[in-house]
Amino acid sequence: MGGVGIGIYQLIFPVYSLCVVLTTSGLPLAISKVVAKHEGKNVIKNCLGFTCLIALLLSTILFISSGALAKLQGEQKIAICYAILSPSIIVVSASSVFKGYFQGRRQFVPSALSNIIEQFIKFVVGLILTLILIKQSVILAIIGAVVAIDVSEVVSFLVLVCFYRNKPVQNDKNLSISALFKDILPIMLTNVILPLAMFADSLLVVNLLGMNFSKQTAVAMYGIETGAVSSLINLPTIFSFAIASVLMPMLAGKGNDFNKTHTLSVAIKIVLTITVPCVICFVFIPNRIIDVLYAGRFVFEDFDGMILAYRLLAISAFGIVFLTLNQLFSSALQAQEKRLTTIRNLLVAVTFKFIIEIVFLQTKEVNIFALTIANVVCYATSMLLNEMSLKKSLCMLVDFAFISKLLLCNVLMFLTLLGTLYAGTSAWVTLAGLMLAGIVYLGSLSLTKIFTRRDLAMIKYKIKWLKFSCVAIILLEVEIMNKSECVDEVFDKTGLTKKDCKLCLDAILDVIKDALSNGESVTLSNFGKFKVNNVKAKSMYSFKTGATYVAKARKTPCFKASDNLKQIVK
């Protein structure tokens, strides 16, 4: 659709996103927290009607006011797009309730599958309709993309309903509306702030840029920043949002504070492992990435859109780490019942964002870069304030060994990427370089054992969906647990001091050794039996010397696993 088409589309999407957020803002996270906290009590009945009622009201308002809203944004032709999108608001709100229910029960397959199907249909149907309709006009192509959103949301909702019908509710007890919304409303308010800021941007940015540029140029600049660049920036943040969704019920559920801190620490490590290489690629080779995806599409008479996209991507990349960590810290605060803290911190960050935009968007030399810088400052401010409120610094949550290994892996990846890119400037060379660098990165993560055994155990048994990703398959290699790691596991499960855990483990081992040395057996119920086997003397053949010798009779300790242990290992 080009820069202008993307710019017009990005005028529509923040409004639609705002309406969706007003009805669903943080609803999956909030419901998952309530389900985990109240041990699976049914919240579907109390949420579905209320949410859909608000969605119906907003959908009607959007449909009726579509013409006035399009006129306010300066693009009267997009009014029909708002009318087409209005029914999706109801469908998305209903889907969010089911997603939160499944997340609270730690059943992530329904939400994951519905999201994959939704994105696939949105991409395929949107691409087909856009390619067909772009030949007639840009507006028709945008309408095609909007219709694809409607279709994808309906199919995603039907997938969730099918899963819900096949998974009957257990412990179906009514939870009072007041108790339910005591947990839900703060999370909803937190998640509505950024979409409101995006909506304000759609009204503010183009008008402020129009003071120094033509309307078409201002829309094109806005489209490149919010469409082409932001789409790339949002890719790695999808993983952090998914991890935050898993994190909420885990931190809100039962368990000691040490285990919850370790859970947050592992989540941060996973996010940094994913986002840091993305930041490096976006900062150092933005031109190669933009050329592969948007070669020659941002060419205008007033300015070079490709160079603008390069620079915007390089600056926006710094916000990836801030945004992803902010999502995790925000989830941790909400799980700790600090309901108003995240709202206050985000409002402060958004205030800084608008001050920067209002002051610098009017400056011709800064222009659209003010929006990018304002977003990075907003994410960084919110992250730092949430970190301070959490009273756990990154230095406490992430150890030096992890940071050093992560830096080493990224250096190796970057050197591989640079070496490959020297072979040429074509898109195929760039893609080959990124793939080879990715392989080197994953291999170096595995060789350096960047995650400890305790980290891997948490990933494997608590964030189970990560086992199916390529990264986890490489990282979840078999290791041998040593004594100190065994003490750490006992420490995690009991809450005793590490000294006491070590004394207990040593005492148990001494008891078993003393019993075996006296020829006695030790049977541990549902675990197994330690015993001594008597091996008779027998003739043996030495392959080294070719001679025959007699091996003396001896006693050897052995262990026989119980049927229960065999079944668990199996």
Side-chain angles (χ1 to χ4, degrees):
M1 292 187 290
V4 175
I6 294 175
I8 295 174
Y9 179 79
Q10 288 300 322
L11 292 175
I12 301 168
F13 195 77
V15 179
Y16 168 70
S17 177
L18 175 63
C19 293
V20 169
V21 167
L22 287 173
T23 56
T24 68
S25 56
L27 200 58
L29 283 176
I31 293 177
S32 68
K33 176 186 174 183
V34 174
V35 170
K37 184 178 178 181
H38 296 282
E39 300 181 351
K41 294 179 181 179
N42 183 23
V43 295
I44 296 285
K45 179 180 177 181
N46 289 332
C47 282
L48 200 56
F50 177 79
T51 305
C52 289
L53 182 63
I54 296 177
L56 178 61
L57 178 62
L58 282 175
S59 178
T60 305
I61 293 173
L62 180 62
F63 183 84
I64 295 172
S65 61
S66 57
L69 188 58
K71 185 178 180 180
L72 180 64
Q73 292 181 308
E75 286 290 343
Q76 189 66 45
K77 296 179 181 178
I78 64 175
I80 189 174
C81 296
Y82 289 127
I84 294 172
L85 278 175
S86 56
S88 289
I89 298 173
I90 303 172
V91 180
V92 174
S93 64
S95 296
S96 66
V97 175
F98 287 104
K99 287 178 181 178
Y101 171 78
F102 286 123
Q103 289 172 10
R105 290 182 176 274
R106 303 190 188 181
Q107 299 168 354
F108 302 108
V109 173
S111 297
L113 185 60
S114 67
N115 286 335
I116 291 171
I117 292 174
E118 175 191 336
Q119 295 302 323
F120 177 78
I121 293 176
K122 192 178 295 182
F123 174 76
V124 174
V125 176
L127 182 62
I128 292 173
L129 291 177
T130 301
L131 291 175
I132 293 173
L133 298 174
I134 192 67
K135 299 176 182 178
Q136 300 181 41
S137 71
V138 173
I139 292 297
L140 285 177
I142 295 172
I143 291 174
V146 167
V147 170
I149 295 176
D150 282 342
V151 175
S152 64
E153 299 295 357
V154 171
V155 175
S156 174
F157 172 72
L158 293 176
V159 171
L160 291 169
V161 171
C162 290
F163 272 101
Y164 181 74
R165 288 174 63 87
N166 293 328
K167 293 181 181 292
V169 179
Q170 300 173 352
N171 301 326
D172 188 8
K173 300 177 183 178
N174 287 327
L175 189 65
S176 68
I177 295 292
S178 59
L180 179 65
F181 286 98
K182 183 180 179 181
D183 284 315
I184 287 180
L185 284 178
I187 300 177
M188 294 180 70
L189 289 174
T190 302
N191 284 270
V192 80
I193 294 174
L194 279 180
L196 276 171
M198 288 176 59
F199 172 69
D201 285 342
S202 70
L203 300 174
L204 182 70
V205 174
V206 174
N207 290 324
L208 289 177
L209 288 174
M211 298 174 66
N212 296 303
F213 301 94
S214 66
K215 181 181 177 182
Q216 186 177 15
T217 300
V219 171
M221 285 181 171
Y222 182 67
I224 292 172
E225 205 285 336
T226 57
V229 174
S230 293
S231 298
L232 288 171
I233 297 301
N234 289 335
L235 280 176
T237 63
I238 293 172
F239 293 97
S240 67
F241 181 78
I243 294 171
S245 300
V246 178
L247 199 63
M248 177 68 78
M250 291 169 64
L251 296 180
K254 296 180 179 179
N256 60 56
D257 291 336
F258 180 84
N259 282 338
K260 292 181 178 181
T261 301
H262 180 235
T263 300
L264 178 59
S265 173
V266 174
I268 291 172
K269 290 179 180 180
I270 296 171
V271 164
L272 290 176
T273 303
I274 295 170
T275 56
V276 171
C278 295
V279 172
I280 291 174
C281 291
F282 290 160
V283 169
F284 290 101
I285 57 166
N287 56 325
R288 304 295 288 265
I289 295 172
I290 293 293
D291 286 343
V292 169
L293 298 174
Y294 306 103
R297 294 187 182 181
F298 304 139
V299 179
F300 306 97
E301 295 180 359
D302 299 347
F303 68 101
D304 191 333
M306 297 300 290
I307 294 178
L308 178 66
Y310 302 158
R311 295 173 179 173
L312 288 174
L313 180 59
I315 297 172
S316 297
F318 292 100
I320 294 176
V321 174
F322 298 135
L323 178 58
T324 52
L325 291 178
N326 180 56
Q327 289 174 330
L328 296 183
F329 290 150
S330 179
S331 292
L333 286 171
Q334 290 163 353
Q336 291 181 4
E337 307 297 336
K338 296 182 178 180
R339 296 183 172 91
L340 299 178
T341 303
T342 53
I343 299 175
R344 180 198 65 204
N345 294 343
L346 193 53
L347 284 174
V348 172
V350 169
T351 301
F352 284 128
K353 167 185 164 68
F354 283 127
I355 291 173
I356 294 172
E357 289 179 3
I358 293 171
V359 172
F360 292 103
L361 278 171
Q362 304 176 58
T363 307
K364 188 173 183 178
E365 292 75 16
V366 181
N367 55 72
I368 194 64
F369 291 102
L371 176 60
T372 303
I373 295 170
N375 287 334
V376 174
V377 171
C378 175
Y379 303 148
T381 304
S382 182
M383 187 214 74
L384 291 173
L385 290 175
N386 284 337
E387 182 187 14
M388 293 169 60
S389 302
L390 199 59
K391 296 181 181 179
K392 289 183 174 67
S393 68
L394 274 176
C395 297
M396 296 170 58
L397 294 169
V398 182
D399 54 278
F400 177 77
F402 171 83
I403 294 296
S404 59
K405 291 177 181 178
L406 182 64
L407 290 175
L408 175 62
C409 294
N410 279 279
V411 168
L412 293 174
M413 177 210 71
F414 182 63
L415 292 176
T416 304
L417 182 60
L418 285 184
T420 308
L421 294 182
Y422 276 122
T425 58
S426 69
W428 291 110
V429 172
T430 303
L431 291 174
L434 290 171
M435 291 180 62
L436 182 59
I439 294 171
V440 170
Y441 181 66
L442 293 177
S444 58
L445 289 178
S446 180
L447 290 174
T448 57
K449 292 182 173 57
I450 194 166
F451 292 108
T452 65
R453 184 179 180 85
R454 290 170 59 214
D455 296 341
L456 295 176
M458 202 282 288
I459 294 171
K460 185 175 181 181
Y461 297 111
K462 293 187 178 181
I463 312 180
K464 295 184 178 179
W465 55 270
L466 280 176
K467 292 194 293 182
F468 299 100
S469 68
C470 295
V471 175
I473 290 173
I474 292 176
L475 295 179
L476 292 178
E477 54 187 17
V478 177
E479 294 182 359
I480 299 174
M481 180 183 289
N482 57 36
K483 186 176 179 181
S484 63
E485 290 173 336
C486 187
V487 171
D488 289 338
E489 291 294 328
V490 175
F491 172 62
D492 290 346
K493 294 180 182 297
T494 62
L496 299 174
T497 65
K498 284 194 175 183
K499 182 178 179 180
D500 290 340
C501 292
K502 185 176 183 300
L503 290 174
C504 290
L505 182 59
D506 288 338
I508 293 172
L509 295 176
D510 288 340
V511 169
I512 295 174
K513 285 189 290 185
D514 291 342
L516 294 177
S517 64
N518 295 327
E520 301 174 359
S521 299
V522 179
T523 301
L524 302 177
S525 179
N526 292 325
F527 183 73
K529 182 179 181 180
F530 296 91
K531 62 179 182 178
V532 178
N533 279 348
N534 294 312
V535 181
K536 297 180 180 179
K538 58 181 178 179
S539 298
M540 303 287 289
Y541 176 78
S542 173
F543 289 94
K544 184 177 182 180
T545 63
T548 302
Y549 67 97
V550 177
K552 296 180 180 180
R554 66 189 187 280
K555 294 181 179 181
T556 60
C558 65
F559 173 76
K560 182 179 180 181
S562 67
D563 292 338
N564 184 54
L565 180 59
K566 291 177 181 178
Q567 190 65 30
I568 293 173
V569 173
K570 180 180 179 181

